[in-house]
């Protein structure tokens, strides 16, 4: 059995009047992510971590922001496509651990919903996917509520 790890990071600017998607669910917030897709930083970080662990290129290679086909796309669709790429390479997901950095909104009460949504798409048990959130104590762009960042680590198992 061969195991591989991956790390993914994504950052998006926040602006008023846009929808705020995080972990596959829409959150109530007065700002949303500026992006070519729906701007779900958590899914994007997970995709990059999965792709990297499998020895594949980054998310922008497969779903470029210059391609009109991905304009406004639901990031859950991108995640499903990444999972299919992994399956073709005979990888299964062991676990995923994530951290989201944002000042507001508080998301603790929504992380289980995010985990359930993402675990179903990935085909893993909800206990194999963790999501934690932290503020940056009002420091940096996250603390000033100018943007949000997400980090994900994954463990893949070669079948």
């Amino acid at each position: 059995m061969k195991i591989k790890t991956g790390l993914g990071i994504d950052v998006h600017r926040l602006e008023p009047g846009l929808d705020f998607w995080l972990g596959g669910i829409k959150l109530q917030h007065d700002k949303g992510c500026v992006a070519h897709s729906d701007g779900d930083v958590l899914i994007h970080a997970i995709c990059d971590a999965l792709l990297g662990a499998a020895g594949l290129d980054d998310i922008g290679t497969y779903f470029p922001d210059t391609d009109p086909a991905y304009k406004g796309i639901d990031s859950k669709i991108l995640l499903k496509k990444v999972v299919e790429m992994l399956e073709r390479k005979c990888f299964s997901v062991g676990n995923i651990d994530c951290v989201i950095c944002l000042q507001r909104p508080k998301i603790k009460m929504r992380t289980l919903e995010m985990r359930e949504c993402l675990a179903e798409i990935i085909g893993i048990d909800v206990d194999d996917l963790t999501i934690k959130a932290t503020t940056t104590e009002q420091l940096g762009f996250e603390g000033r509520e100018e943007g949000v960042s997400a980090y994900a680590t994954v463990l893949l198992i070669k079948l």
Side-chain angles (χ1 to χ4, degrees):
M1 172 176 57
K2 184 173 188 174
I3 59 171
K4 297 183 81 176
T5 62
L7 171 65
I9 300 169
D10 195 37
V11 175
H12 280 285
R13 188 172 74 248
L14 291 172
E15 286 190 3
L18 300 173
D19 289 338
F20 189 37
W21 287 91
L22 192 61
I25 63 171
K26 186 176 174 182
L27 298 176
Q28 290 296 329
H29 192 42
D30 59 342
K31 297 180 181 180
C33 291
V34 175
H36 185 71
S37 67
D38 65 6
D40 192 321
V41 294
L42 181 56
I43 290 181
H44 298 172
I46 291 170
C47 285
D48 261 345
L50 292 168
L51 291 165
L56 298 168
D57 289 324
D58 64 62
I59 190 173
T61 300
Y62 301 104
F63 314 111
D65 63 6
T66 55
D67 187 336
Y70 302 114
K71 179 69 177 160
I73 194 167
D74 183 336
S75 292
K76 293 186 293 289
I77 295 169
L78 304 180
L79 179 58
K80 182 65 177 163
K81 289 178 182 282
V82 168
V83 169
E84 291 167 358
M85 290 180 206
L86 297 179
E87 290 169 352
R88 285 193 294 275
K89 289 194 74 166
C90 299
F91 282 108
S92 69
V93 176
N95 78 300
I96 301 174
D97 185 34
C98 308
V99 177
I100 302 163
C101 298
L102 75 166
Q103 197 65 39
R104 285 186 321 115
K106 300 297 184 194
I107 63 168
K108 179 66 177 163
M109 301 307 291
R110 303 294 302 273
T111 57
L112 178 58
E113 184 181 354
M114 291 178 201
R115 290 171 57 213
E116 290 170 342
C117 173
L118 299 174
E120 182 177 337
I121 295 165
I122 299 165
I124 60 175
D125 190 83
V126 71
D127 290 335
D128 292 328
L129 194 157
T130 56
I131 299 172
K132 300 170 299 293
T134 187
T135 68
T136 57
E137 300 298 329
Q138 299 179 334
L139 298 172
F141 68 91
E142 296 105 335
R144 292 187 302 271
E145 299 183 42
E146 296 169 0
V148 56
S149 62
Y151 304 81
T153 61
V154 303
L155 177 72
L156 293 185
I157 302 163
K158 184 79 168 187
L159 303 175

